[in-house]
Amino acid sequence: MSRRMMLALAPLLLFAGGCGYNQIQKLDETAQQAKQQISVQLQRRADLVPNLVNTVKGYAQHEEAVFTQVAQARAGLAGAIQTGDPQQMAAANGTLTGALGRLIAIAEAYPQLKADQGFLRLQDELTGTENRIATSRNDYNEAVLAYNTYIRTFPQAITAKVTGAKPRTYFEAAGGTEAPPRVDFGTRPAPATTAPPATKTP
């Protein structure tokens, strides 16, 4: 590289270093990698669903409505993963969580299904995957917080505007869908009895 070219590039290099361009790229890449890890775990969860459905079908073939809901929710998650949009993935994952909760609850009516080792193993795998999704979600949201905060801070905000760096979207699950579906196969409490109305004395 000629001396003249080096002198011409020097202000640009100083601007990039002094105004945070390199750090913006680093933080953005960290967030992107964290989002990719969420996609990997969501896909793993989706891949476990057909085996779980087939296991339940072996004992409860007539629960077709629930099977259809699970299949639709799984397809929705697959489509959301393809978009790469964190909000769509979070919403679709929450929908699948609800459908899986209904599927797993079917086991309450089938003692043999509750004891099926394949069913129990798949439940454990789904729970483990959901825990990994939660960990990946936290890692991603922390990376997004660091990135978004950085590009809003002066003078990095100027660099972000010039280079077109945009704030990233958080992965936020809908309320009530953060926890993996769990069913307590222990003794269910007896239904509460209503006291008979008091009789009037003459």
Side-chain angles (χ1 to χ4, degrees), residues 122-177:
L122 287 167
Q123 258 197 288
D124 288 342
E125 289 187 32
L126 282 167
T127 299
T129 300
E130 187 63 26
N131 290 338
R132 286 189 287 273
I133 291 171
T135 298
S136 299
R137 177 186 64 202
N138 291 338
D139 291 344
Y140 170 74
N141 285 342
E142 288 179 1
V144 169
L145 176 62
Y147 169 78
N148 287 352
T149 301
Y150 191 79
I151 66 173
R152 290 191 178 107
T153 306
F154 184 84
Q156 296 86 251
I158 298 175
T159 306
K161 185 174 182 179
V162 171
T163 59
K166 303 292 185 182
R168 279 183 168 270
T169 304
Y170 290 95
F171 185 102
E172 296 178 331
T177 62

CSV table of all heavy atoms in Angstrom, one decimal, residues 122-177:
chain,number,residue,atom,x,y,z
A,122,LEU,N,-38.8,-39.3,26.3
A,122,LEU,CA,-39.1,-38.1,25.5
A,122,LEU,C,-39.5,-36.9,26.3
A,122,LEU,O,-39.1,-35.8,26.0
A,122,LEU,CB,-40.2,-38.5,24.5
A,122,LEU,CG,-39.8,-39.4,23.4
A,122,LEU,CD1,-41.0,-40.0,22.6
A,122,LEU,CD2,-38.9,-38.7,22.4
A,123,GLN,N,-40.2,-37.1,27.4
A,123,GLN,CA,-40.6,-36.0,28.3
A,123,GLN,C,-39.3,-35.4,28.8
A,123,GLN,O,-39.2,-34.2,28.9
A,123,GLN,CB,-41.4,-36.5,29.4
A,123,GLN,CG,-42.9,-36.2,29.3
A,123,GLN,CD,-43.6,-36.4,30.6
A,123,GLN,OE1,-43.8,-37.5,31.1
A,123,GLN,NE2,-44.0,-35.3,31.2
A,124,ASP,N,-38.4,-36.2,29.3
A,124,ASP,CA,-37.1,-35.7,29.8
A,124,ASP,C,-36.3,-35.0,28.8
A,124,ASP,O,-35.7,-33.9,29.1
A,124,ASP,CB,-36.3,-36.9,30.4
A,124,ASP,CG,-36.9,-37.5,31.7
A,124,ASP,OD1,-37.7,-36.8,32.3
A,124,ASP,OD2,-36.5,-38.6,32.0
A,125,GLU,N,-36.3,-35.5,27.6
A,125,GLU,CA,-35.5,-34.8,26.5
A,125,GLU,C,-36.2,-33.5,26.2
A,125,GLU,O,-35.5,-32.5,25.9
A,125,GLU,CB,-35.5,-35.7,25.3
A,125,GLU,CG,-34.6,-36.9,25.4
A,125,GLU,CD,-34.4,-37.7,24.1
A,125,GLU,OE1,-34.5,-37.0,23.0
A,125,GLU,OE2,-34.3,-38.9,24.2
A,126,LEU,N,-37.5,-33.4,26.1
A,126,LEU,CA,-38.2,-32.1,25.8
A,126,LEU,C,-37.9,-31.1,26.9
A,126,LEU,O,-37.7,-29.9,26.7
A,126,LEU,CB,-39.7,-32.4,25.7
A,126,LEU,CG,-40.1,-33.0,24.3
A,126,LEU,CD1,-41.6,-33.5,24.4
A,126,LEU,CD2,-40.0,-31.9,23.2
A,127,THR,N,-38.0,-31.6,28.2
A,127,THR,CA,-37.7,-30.7,29.3
A,127,THR,C,-36.3,-30.2,29.3
A,127,THR,O,-36.0,-29.0,29.5
A,127,THR,CB,-37.9,-31.4,30.7
A,127,THR,OG1,-39.3,-31.8,30.7
A,127,THR,CG2,-37.7,-30.5,31.8
A,128,GLY,N,-35.3,-31.1,29.0
A,128,GLY,CA,-33.9,-30.6,28.9
A,128,GLY,C,-33.7,-29.6,27.7
A,128,GLY,O,-33.0,-28.7,27.9
A,129,THR,N,-34.4,-29.9,26.6
A,129,THR,CA,-34.3,-29.0,25.5
A,129,THR,C,-34.9,-27.6,25.8
A,129,THR,O,-34.3,-26.6,25.5
A,129,THR,CB,-35.0,-29.5,24.2
A,129,THR,OG1,-34.4,-30.8,23.9
A,129,THR,CG2,-34.9,-28.6,23.1
A,130,GLU,N,-36.0,-27.6,26.5
A,130,GLU,CA,-36.7,-26.4,26.9
A,130,GLU,C,-35.8,-25.6,27.8
A,130,GLU,O,-35.7,-24.3,27.8
A,130,GLU,CB,-38.0,-26.6,27.5
A,130,GLU,CG,-38.8,-25.3,27.8
A,130,GLU,CD,-39.2,-24.6,26.5
A,130,GLU,OE1,-39.3,-25.2,25.5
A,130,GLU,OE2,-39.4,-23.3,26.6
A,131,ASN,N,-35.1,-26.3,28.7
A,131,ASN,CA,-34.1,-25.6,29.6
A,131,ASN,C,-33.0,-25.0,28.8
A,131,ASN,O,-32.5,-23.9,29.2
A,131,ASN,CB,-33.6,-26.6,30.7
A,131,ASN,CG,-34.7,-27.0,31.7
A,131,ASN,OD1,-35.7,-26.3,31.9
A,131,ASN,ND2,-34.5,-28.2,32.3
A,132,ARG,N,-32.5,-25.7,27.8
A,132,ARG,CA,-31.4,-25.1,27.0
A,132,ARG,C,-31.9,-23.9,26.2
A,132,ARG,O,-31.2,-23.0,25.9
A,132,ARG,CB,-30.9,-26.2,26.1
A,132,ARG,CG,-30.0,-27.2,26.8
A,132,ARG,CD,-29.3,-28.1,25.8
A,132,ARG,NE,-30.2,-29.1,25.2
A,132,ARG,CZ,-30.5,-30.3,25.8
A,132,ARG,NH1,-30.0,-30.6,26.9
A,132,ARG,NH2,-31.3,-31.1,25.1
A,133,ILE,N,-33.2,-24.0,25.8
A,133,ILE,CA,-33.8,-22.8,25.0
A,133,ILE,C,-33.8,-21.6,26.0
A,133,ILE,O,-33.5,-20.5,25.6
A,133,ILE,CB,-35.2,-23.2,24.6
A,133,ILE,CG1,-35.2,-24.2,23.4
A,133,ILE,CG2,-35.9,-21.9,24.1
A,133,ILE,CD1,-36.5,-24.7,23.0
A,134,ALA,N,-34.2,-21.8,27.2
A,134,ALA,CA,-34.3,-20.7,28.2
A,134,ALA,C,-32.9,-20.1,28.4
A,134,ALA,O,-32.7,-18.9,28.5
A,134,ALA,CB,-34.8,-21.2,29.5
A,135,THR,N,-31.8,-21.0,28.5
A,135,THR,CA,-30.5,-20.5,28.7
A,135,THR,C,-30.0,-19.7,27.4
A,135,THR,O,-29.5,-18.6,27.6
A,135,THR,CB,-29.5,-21.7,28.9
A,135,THR,OG1,-29.9,-22.4,30.1
A,135,THR,CG2,-28.1,-21.2,29.0
A,136,SER,N,-30.3,-20.3,26.3
A,136,SER,CA,-30.0,-19.6,25.0
A,136,SER,C,-30.7,-18.2,24.9
A,136,SER,O,-30.1,-17.3,24.4
A,136,SER,CB,-30.3,-20.5,23.8
A,136,SER,OG,-29.5,-21.7,23.9
A,137,ARG,N,-32.0,-18.2,25.3
A,137,ARG,CA,-32.8,-17.0,25.3
A,137,ARG,C,-32.1,-15.9,26.1
A,137,ARG,O,-32.0,-14.8,25.7
A,137,ARG,CB,-34.2,-17.3,25.7
A,137,ARG,CG,-35.1,-16.1,25.8
A,137,ARG,CD,-36.4,-16.4,26.4
A,137,ARG,NE,-36.3,-16.8,27.8
A,137,ARG,CZ,-37.2,-17.5,28.5
A,137,ARG,NH1,-38.2,-18.0,27.9
A,137,ARG,NH2,-37.0,-17.8,29.7
A,138,ASN,N,-31.7,-16.3,27.4
A,138,ASN,CA,-31.1,-15.4,28.3
A,138,ASN,C,-29.8,-14.8,27.7
A,138,ASN,O,-29.5,-13.6,27.8
A,138,ASN,CB,-30.8,-16.0,29.6
A,138,ASN,CG,-32.1,-16.3,30.4
A,138,ASN,OD1,-33.1,-15.7,30.1
A,138,ASN,ND2,-32.1,-17.2,31.3
A,139,ASP,N,-29.0,-15.7,27.1
A,139,ASP,CA,-27.7,-15.3,26.5
A,139,ASP,C,-27.9,-14.3,25.4
A,139,ASP,O,-27.2,-13.3,25.2
A,139,ASP,CB,-26.9,-16.5,26.0
A,139,ASP,CG,-26.4,-17.4,27.1
A,139,ASP,OD1,-26.4,-17.0,28.3
A,139,ASP,OD2,-26.0,-18.6,26.8
A,140,TYR,N,-28.9,-14.6,24.5
A,140,TYR,CA,-29.2,-13.8,23.4
A,140,TYR,C,-29.7,-12.4,23.9
A,140,TYR,O,-29.3,-11.4,23.4
A,140,TYR,CB,-30.3,-14.4,22.5
A,140,TYR,CG,-30.8,-13.5,21.5
A,140,TYR,CD1,-30.1,-13.2,20.3
A,140,TYR,CD2,-32.1,-12.9,21.6
A,140,TYR,CE1,-30.6,-12.3,19.4
A,140,TYR,CE2,-32.6,-12.1,20.6
A,140,TYR,CZ,-31.8,-11.8,19.5
A,140,TYR,OH,-32.3,-10.9,18.5
A,141,ASN,N,-30.7,-12.4,24.8
A,141,ASN,CA,-31.2,-11.1,25.3
A,141,ASN,C,-30.1,-10.3,26.0
A,141,ASN,O,-30.2,-9.0,25.9
A,141,ASN,CB,-32.4,-11.4,26.3
A,141,ASN,CG,-33.6,-11.8,25.5
A,141,ASN,OD1,-33.8,-11.6,24.3
A,141,ASN,ND2,-34.6,-12.4,26.3
A,142,GLU,N,-29.2,-10.9,26.7
A,142,GLU,CA,-28.1,-10.1,27.3
A,142,GLU,C,-27.2,-9.6,26.2
A,142,GLU,O,-26.7,-8.4,26.3
A,142,GLU,CB,-27.3,-11.1,28.2
A,142,GLU,CG,-28.0,-11.4,29.5
A,142,GLU,CD,-27.1,-12.3,30.3
A,142,GLU,OE1,-26.0,-12.7,29.9
A,142,GLU,OE2,-27.6,-12.7,31.4
A,143,ALA,N,-27.0,-10.3,25.1
A,143,ALA,CA,-26.2,-9.8,24.0
A,143,ALA,C,-26.9,-8.7,23.3
A,143,ALA,O,-26.2,-7.7,22.9
A,143,ALA,CB,-25.9,-11.0,23.0
A,144,VAL,N,-28.2,-8.8,23.1
A,144,VAL,CA,-29.0,-7.7,22.5
A,144,VAL,C,-28.9,-6.5,23.3
A,144,VAL,O,-28.8,-5.4,22.8
A,144,VAL,CB,-30.4,-8.2,22.2
A,144,VAL,CG1,-31.3,-7.0,21.8
A,144,VAL,CG2,-30.4,-9.3,21.1
A,145,LEU,N,-29.1,-6.6,24.6
A,145,LEU,CA,-29.0,-5.5,25.5
A,145,LEU,C,-27.7,-4.7,25.4
A,145,LEU,O,-27.7,-3.5,25.3
A,145,LEU,CB,-29.2,-5.9,27.0
A,145,LEU,CG,-29.1,-4.8,28.1
A,145,LEU,CD1,-30.2,-3.8,27.8
A,145,LEU,CD2,-29.2,-5.4,29.4
A,146,ALA,N,-26.6,-5.5,25.4
A,146,ALA,CA,-25.3,-4.9,25.2
A,146,ALA,C,-25.1,-4.2,23.9
A,146,ALA,O,-24.6,-3.0,23.8
A,146,ALA,CB,-24.2,-5.9,25.4
A,147,TYR,N,-25.6,-4.8,22.8
A,147,TYR,CA,-25.5,-4.2,21.5
A,147,TYR,C,-26.4,-3.0,21.4
A,147,TYR,O,-25.9,-1.9,20.9
A,147,TYR,CB,-25.9,-5.2,20.5
A,147,TYR,CG,-26.1,-4.7,19.1
A,147,TYR,CD1,-25.0,-4.4,18.3
A,147,TYR,CD2,-27.4,-4.5,18.6
A,147,TYR,CE1,-25.2,-3.9,17.0
A,147,TYR,CE2,-27.6,-4.0,17.3
A,147,TYR,CZ,-26.5,-3.7,16.5
A,147,TYR,OH,-26.7,-3.2,15.3
A,148,ASN,N,-27.7,-3.1,21.8
A,148,ASN,CA,-28.6,-2.0,21.7
A,148,ASN,C,-28.2,-0.8,22.5
A,148,ASN,O,-28.3,0.4,22.1
A,148,ASN,CB,-30.0,-2.4,22.1
A,148,ASN,CG,-30.7,-3.3,21.0
A,148,ASN,OD1,-30.2,-3.5,19.9
A,148,ASN,ND2,-31.8,-3.9,21.4
A,149,THR,N,-27.7,-1.0,23.7
A,149,THR,CA,-27.2,0.0,24.6
A,149,THR,C,-26.0,0.7,23.9
A,149,THR,O,-25.9,2.0,23.9
A,149,THR,CB,-26.8,-0.5,25.9
A,149,THR,OG1,-27.9,-1.1,26.5
A,149,THR,CG2,-26.3,0.6,26.8
A,150,TYR,N,-25.1,0.0,23.4
A,150,TYR,CA,-23.9,0.5,22.8
A,150,TYR,C,-24.2,1.4,21.6
A,150,TYR,O,-23.6,2.5,21.5
A,150,TYR,CB,-22.9,-0.6,22.3
A,150,TYR,CG,-21.6,-0.1,22.0
A,150,TYR,CD1,-20.6,0.2,23.0
A,150,TYR,CD2,-21.2,0.0,20.6
A,150,TYR,CE1,-19.3,0.6,22.6
A,150,TYR,CE2,-19.9,0.4,20.3
A,150,TYR,CZ,-19.0,0.7,21.3
A,150,TYR,OH,-17.7,1.2,21.0
A,151,ILE,N,-25.1,1.0,20.7
A,151,ILE,CA,-25.3,1.8,19.5
A,151,ILE,C,-26.2,3.0,19.8
A,151,ILE,O,-26.4,3.9,18.9
A,151,ILE,CB,-26.0,1.0,18.4
A,151,ILE,CG1,-27.4,0.5,18.7
A,151,ILE,CG2,-25.1,-0.2,18.0
A,151,ILE,CD1,-28.1,-0.2,17.6
A,152,ARG,N,-26.7,3.1,21.0
A,152,ARG,CA,-27.5,4.3,21.4
A,152,ARG,C,-26.7,5.3,22.1
A,152,ARG,O,-27.2,6.4,22.5
A,152,ARG,CB,-28.7,3.9,22.2
A,152,ARG,CG,-29.8,3.2,21.4
A,152,ARG,CD,-31.1,3.0,22.3
A,152,ARG,NE,-32.1,2.4,21.5
A,152,ARG,CZ,-32.5,1.1,21.8
A,152,ARG,NH1,-32.0,0.4,22.7
A,152,ARG,NH2,-33.5,0.6,21.1
A,153,THR,N,-25.4,4.9,22.4
A,153,THR,CA,-24.6,5.8,23.2
A,153,THR,C,-23.7,6.6,22.3
A,153,THR,O,-23.1,6.2,21.4
A,153,THR,CB,-23.7,4.9,24.2
A,153,THR,OG1,-24.5,4.1,24.9
A,153,THR,CG2,-22.8,5.8,25.1
A,154,PHE,N,-23.5,7.9,22.7
A,154,PHE,CA,-22.7,8.8,21.9
A,154,PHE,C,-21.2,8.5,22.2
A,154,PHE,O,-20.9,8.3,23.4
A,154,PHE,CB,-23.0,10.3,22.3
A,154,PHE,CG,-22.2,11.3,21.5
A,154,PHE,CD1,-22.7,11.7,20.2
A,154,PHE,CD2,-21.0,11.8,22.0
A,154,PHE,CE1,-21.9,12.6,19.5
A,154,PHE,CE2,-20.3,12.7,21.2
A,154,PHE,CZ,-20.8,13.1,20.0
A,155,PRO,N,-20.3,8.5,21.2
A,155,PRO,CA,-20.5,8.9,19.8
A,155,PRO,C,-20.8,7.6,18.9
A,155,PRO,O,-21.0,7.8,17.7
A,155,PRO,CB,-19.1,9.4,19.4
A,155,PRO,CG,-18.2,8.6,20.2
A,155,PRO,CD,-18.9,8.3,21.5
A,156,GLN,N,-21.0,6.5,19.5
A,156,GLN,CA,-21.3,5.3,18.7
A,156,GLN,C,-22.6,5.4,18.0
A,156,GLN,O,-22.8,4.8,16.9
A,156,GLN,CB,-21.3,4.0,19.6
A,156,GLN,CG,-20.1,3.7,20.3
A,156,GLN,CD,-19.9,4.4,21.6
A,156,GLN,OE1,-19.1,5.3,21.7
A,156,GLN,NE2,-20.7,4.0,22.6
A,157,ALA,N,-23.5,6.2,18.5
A,157,ALA,CA,-24.8,6.4,17.8
A,157,ALA,C,-24.6,7.0,16.5
A,157,ALA,O,-25.4,6.7,15.5
A,157,ALA,CB,-25.7,7.3,18.7
A,158,ILE,N,-23.6,7.9,16.3
A,158,ILE,CA,-23.4,8.5,15.0
A,158,ILE,C,-22.9,7.4,14.0
A,158,ILE,O,-23.3,7.4,12.9
A,158,ILE,CB,-22.3,9.6,15.2
A,158,ILE,CG1,-22.9,10.7,16.1
A,158,ILE,CG2,-22.0,10.2,13.8
A,158,ILE,CD1,-21.9,11.8,16.3
A,159,THR,N,-22.0,6.6,14.5
A,159,THR,CA,-21.4,5.5,13.7
A,159,THR,C,-22.6,4.6,13.3
A,159,THR,O,-22.6,4.1,12.1
A,159,THR,CB,-20.3,4.7,14.4
A,159,THR,OG1,-19.4,5.7,14.9
A,159,THR,CG2,-19.7,3.7,13.5
A,160,ALA,N,-23.4,4.2,14.2
A,160,ALA,CA,-24.5,3.3,14.0
A,160,ALA,C,-25.4,3.9,12.9
A,160,ALA,O,-25.9,3.2,12.0
A,160,ALA,CB,-25.3,3.0,15.2
A,161,LYS,N,-25.7,5.2,13.0
A,161,LYS,CA,-26.6,5.8,12.0
A,161,LYS,C,-25.9,5.8,10.6
A,161,LYS,O,-26.6,5.5,9.6
A,161,LYS,CB,-26.9,7.2,12.4
A,161,LYS,CG,-27.9,7.9,11.5
A,161,LYS,CD,-28.3,9.3,12.1
A,161,LYS,CE,-29.4,10.0,11.2
A,161,LYS,NZ,-29.8,11.3,11.7
A,162,VAL,N,-24.6,6.1,10.6
A,162,VAL,CA,-23.9,6.2,9.3
A,162,VAL,C,-23.9,4.8,8.6
A,162,VAL,O,-24.0,4.7,7.4
A,162,VAL,CB,-22.5,6.8,9.5
A,162,VAL,CG1,-21.7,6.7,8.2
A,162,VAL,CG2,-22.6,8.3,9.9
A,163,THR,N,-23.6,3.8,9.4
A,163,THR,CA,-23.4,2.5,8.9
A,163,THR,C,-24.7,1.7,8.8
A,163,THR,O,-24.7,0.5,8.3
A,163,THR,CB,-22.4,1.7,9.8
A,163,THR,OG1,-23.0,1.6,11.1
A,163,THR,CG2,-21.1,2.4,9.8
A,164,GLY,N,-25.8,2.2,9.3
A,164,GLY,CA,-27.1,1.5,9.2
A,164,GLY,C,-27.3,0.5,10.2
A,164,GLY,O,-28.2,-0.4,10.0
A,165,ALA,N,-26.6,0.5,11.3
A,165,ALA,CA,-26.8,-0.5,12.4
A,165,ALA,C,-28.1,-0.2,13.1
A,165,ALA,O,-28.3,0.9,13.6
A,165,ALA,CB,-25.6,-0.4,13.4
A,166,LYS,N,-29.0,-1.2,13.2
A,166,LYS,CA,-30.3,-1.1,13.8
A,166,LYS,C,-30.4,-1.8,15.1
A,166,LYS,O,-29.7,-2.8,15.2
A,166,LYS,CB,-31.3,-1.6,12.8
A,166,LYS,CG,-31.4,-0.9,11.4
A,166,LYS,CD,-31.8,0.5,11.5
A,166,LYS,CE,-31.9,1.1,10.1
A,166,LYS,NZ,-32.3,2.5,10.2
A,167,PRO,N,-31.2,-1.4,16.0
A,167,PRO,CA,-31.4,-2.1,17.2
A,167,PRO,C,-32.0,-3.5,16.9
A,167,PRO,O,-32.7,-3.7,16.0
A,167,PRO,CB,-32.5,-1.3,18.0
A,167,PRO,CG,-32.4,0.1,17.4
A,167,PRO,CD,-32.0,-0.1,16.0
A,168,ARG,N,-31.6,-4.5,17.7
A,168,ARG,CA,-32.0,-5.9,17.6
A,168,ARG,C,-33.3,-6.1,18.4
A,168,ARG,O,-33.5,-5.4,19.4
A,168,ARG,CB,-30.9,-6.9,18.0
A,168,ARG,CG,-29.9,-7.1,16.9
A,168,ARG,CD,-28.9,-8.1,17.3
A,168,ARG,NE,-28.1,-8.6,16.2
A,168,ARG,CZ,-28.4,-9.6,15.4
A,168,ARG,NH1,-29.5,-10.3,15.6
A,168,ARG,NH2,-27.6,-10.0,14.4
A,169,THR,N,-34.1,-7.1,18.0
A,169,THR,CA,-35.3,-7.4,18.7
A,169,THR,C,-35.0,-8.5,19.8
A,169,THR,O,-34.3,-9.5,19.5
A,169,THR,CB,-36.4,-8.0,17.7
A,169,THR,OG1,-36.6,-7.0,16.7
A,169,THR,CG2,-37.7,-8.3,18.5
A,170,TYR,N,-35.6,-8.4,20.9
A,170,TYR,CA,-35.4,-9.4,22.0
A,170,TYR,C,-36.2,-10.6,21.7
A,170,TYR,O,-37.2,-10.6,21.0
A,170,TYR,CB,-35.8,-8.8,23.4
A,170,TYR,CG,-34.9,-7.7,23.9
A,170,TYR,CD1,-35.1,-6.4,23.7
A,170,TYR,CD2,-33.7,-8.1,24.6
A,170,TYR,CE1,-34.3,-5.4,24.1
A,170,TYR,CE2,-32.9,-7.1,25.1
A,170,TYR,CZ,-33.2,-5.8,24.9
A,170,TYR,OH,-32.3,-4.8,25.3
A,171,PHE,N,-35.8,-11.7,22.3
A,171,PHE,CA,-36.6,-13.0,22.2
A,171,PHE,C,-37.4,-13.0,23.5
A,171,PHE,O,-36.9,-13.3,24.6
A,171,PHE,CB,-35.6,-14.2,22.1
A,171,PHE,CG,-36.3,-15.5,22.0
A,171,PHE,CD1,-36.4,-16.1,20.7
A,171,PHE,CD2,-36.9,-16.2,23.0
A,171,PHE,CE1,-37.0,-17.3,20.5
A,171,PHE,CE2,-37.6,-17.4,22.8
A,171,PHE,CZ,-37.6,-18.0,21.6
A,172,GLU,N,-38.7,-12.7,23.4
A,172,GLU,CA,-39.5,-12.6,24.6
A,172,GLU,C,-40.7,-13.5,24.4
A,172,GLU,O,-41.5,-13.4,23.5
A,172,GLU,CB,-40.0,-11.2,24.8
A,172,GLU,CG,-38.9,-10.2,25.1
A,172,GLU,CD,-39.3,-8.8,25.2
A,172,GLU,OE1,-40.3,-8.4,24.6
A,172,GLU,OE2,-38.7,-8.0,26.0
A,173,ALA,N,-40.8,-14.5,25.3
A,173,ALA,CA,-41.9,-15.4,25.2
A,173,ALA,C,-43.2,-14.8,25.7
A,173,ALA,O,-43.1,-13.9,26.6
A,173,ALA,CB,-41.6,-16.7,26.1
A,174,ALA,N,-44.3,-15.2,25.2
A,174,ALA,CA,-45.6,-14.7,25.7
A,174,ALA,C,-45.8,-15.1,27.2
A,174,ALA,O,-45.3,-16.1,27.6
A,174,ALA,CB,-46.7,-15.2,24.8
A,175,GLY,N,-46.6,-14.3,27.9
A,175,GLY,CA,-46.8,-14.6,29.3
A,175,GLY,C,-47.4,-16.0,29.5
A,175,GLY,O,-48.3,-16.4,28.8
A,176,GLY,N,-46.8,-16.7,30.5
A,176,GLY,CA,-47.3,-18.0,30.8
A,176,GLY,C,-46.8,-19.2,30.0
A,176,GLY,O,-47.1,-20.3,30.2
A,177,THR,N,-45.9,-18.8,29.0
A,177,THR,CA,-45.3,-19.9,28.2
A,177,THR,C,-43.8,-20.1,28.4
A,177,THR,O,-43.2,-20.8,27.6
A,177,THR,CB,-45.6,-19.6,26.7
A,177,THR,OG1,-44.9,-18.4,26.3
A,177,THR,CG2,-47.0,-19.4,26.4
